[in-house]
Amino acid sequence: MIHPLIVAYATMVRREVLRFSRAWFRTLLPPMMNTWLYFLIFGSLIGPRIGTMGGCPYASFMMPGLVMMSVIVSSYTNVASSVYSARFQRYIEEVLVAPVPRWLSVAGFVTGGVIRGILVGLLVLAVAACFVPVSFHAPLHGVLMLLLSSVLFSLGGFLNALYAGSFDDISVVPTLLLTPLIYLGGVFYTVDVLPPFWESVSRLNPLLHVISVFRYGFLGVADAPLELSYAVTLLLLVLLFLWAVLLIRGRR
């Protein structure tokens, strides 16, 4: 007999997957189109003028950052919109009165964001393979950071949705916080080329560590020590998870 908690978790995950898969043209197609444009402009037109970055052809250097950027944005927005919609439609009240642990409720929403993030990442990687050869230096690091980052930013979207007072508030954090962090996180360049002040700022950026490990999985180059990057990512993940569980308990 299947444990009731497993049934509850699987039901929430199924709902989240159906939610974004039914609107695939809005949730899955845009990241692929954006990646195609990035490679067309930066990879094919500007890349040859830049030459190499971090000892790699520029288009190849840029590829892991673009994949991770798509994963981060998709994971974040999926959970943020889903949780806020649940609040707006009063569905969240049914989740809160259900006889399941609060951490399981958080895990159900977050897993939906993780699945969308990883699926988008694979689709973007397939588009990238049309422009640059894809090889793996340390695939385990790439897969592990892909999973950790999608969980981390799904939790970030969960918290954003709990604090949001309107649908407009969901877009404020990605616009004012997430986007600058992404572009200062080494997606398009190695931080060694920045002026000293901005290099120091970028090294404090948690997204730099996420992208650094993911790029190491493909190319074998990293902007920060792997141990430090994993420590920062795991610490933030645990803190955001505990924060999310405490908040949702407070809405009981």
Side-chain angles (χ1 to χ4, degrees), residues 132-170:
V132 296
V134 177
S135 60
F136 298 94
H137 173 77
L140 182 60
H141 285 292
V143 172
L144 183 57
M145 187 50 71
L146 177 67
L147 178 61
L148 290 177
S149 60
S150 57
V151 173
L152 176 62
F153 288 96
S154 291
L155 287 168
F158 188 93
L159 292 170
N160 184 186
L162 289 184
Y163 280 109
S166 66
F167 277 108
D168 292 333
D169 292 340
I170 294 177

Side-chain angles (χ1 to χ4, degrees), residues 18 58 60 73 94 100 103 109 121 133 162 203 226 234 240 250:
L18 288 175
Y58 184 69
S60 297
V73 173
E94 299 178 15
V100 296
W103 63 263
F109 283 109
L162 289 184
R203 291 193 181 280
L226 298 184
L234 288 171
L240 292 188

Side-chain angles (χ1 to χ4, degrees), residues 42-204:
F42 289 96
S44 301
L45 301 180
I46 300 178
R49 295 171 180 257
I50 296 175
T52 62
M53 183 72 68
C56 306
Y58 184 69
S60 297
F61 177 88
M62 183 178 62
M63 180 269 294
L66 290 177
V67 174
M68 184 52 69
M69 180 174 69
S70 300
V71 171
I72 289 170
V73 173
S74 297
S75 300
Y76 191 98
T77 55
N78 186 82
V79 179
S81 61
S82 178
V83 174
Y84 188 80
S85 296
R87 288 179 55 200
F88 184 77
Q89 299 168 359
R90 303 293 186 181
Y91 163 71
I92 193 70
E93 296 176 359
E94 299 178 15
V95 174
L96 294 177
V97 299
V100 296
R102 293 295 173 259
W103 63 263
L104 187 67
S105 301
V106 175
F109 283 109
V110 168
T111 303
V114 170
I115 293 174
R116 176 177 166 183
I118 292 176
L119 182 57
V120 166
L122 294 175
L123 292 173
V124 168
L125 184 61
V127 173
C130 298
F131 293 88
V132 296
V134 177
S135 60
F136 298 94
H137 173 77
L140 182 60
H141 285 292
V143 172
L144 183 57
M145 187 50 71
L146 177 67
L147 178 61
L148 290 177
S149 60
S150 57
V151 173
L152 176 62
F153 288 96
S154 291
L155 287 168
F158 188 93
L159 292 170
N160 184 186
L162 289 184
Y163 280 109
S166 66
F167 277 108
D168 292 333
D169 292 340
I170 294 177
S171 62
V172 170
V173 172
T175 302
L176 298 182
L177 180 62
L178 194 57
T179 299
L181 288 178
I182 287 175
Y183 286 104
L184 286 174
V187 173
F188 299 103
Y189 53 84
T190 175
V191 295
D192 294 338
V193 303
L194 295 174
F197 173 77
W198 288 110
E199 179 180 353
S200 300
V201 171
S202 293
R203 291 193 181 280
L204 297 175

